[in-house]
Amino acid sequence: MASLLKLLLILIEWAVQLKRRDDEAQKQERLDEARNDPASYLRRFGRVQRAKPYDSRADMHDGGASTDKHDSQ
């Protein structure tokens, strides 16, 4: 019975370590994506929006991105 419990604990510990390793790999992928194309990465979460053609800020040289959260102002 004790050896079965030890085996179960080892399997649980192995699963936790595997999950942490997977989370770390996903975190690295997100960091790489954010470094390579920050506007696209932030746009996914609604932090950056594309500037509208009639917007006075449309002539900015940042790839057409605006950092305003809301256009209701």
Side-chain angles (χ1 to χ4, degrees), residues 16-36 41 44-45:
V16 168
Q17 289 176 1
L18 187 64
K19 174 72 172 134
R20 284 182 185 165
R21 196 174 319 135
D22 186 50
D23 288 346
E24 185 64 29
Q26 288 177 354
K27 180 181 174 183
Q28 261 327 107
E29 287 177 15
R30 287 192 310 269
L31 287 173
D32 290 342
E33 181 183 352
R35 282 188 201 113
N36 293 333
Y41 179 78
R44 253 192 343 185
F45 302 108

Side-chain angles (χ1 to χ4, degrees), residues 40-68:
S40 174
Y41 179 78
L42 292 174
R43 203 173 293 121
R44 253 192 343 185
F45 302 108
R47 304 282 174 110
V48 177
Q49 299 174 353
R50 289 210 176 271
K52 293 177 179 63
Y54 56 85
D55 196 349
S56 63
R57 293 168 289 166
D59 61 344
M60 294 173 59
H61 300 291
D62 63 352
S66 170
T67 56
D68 290 340

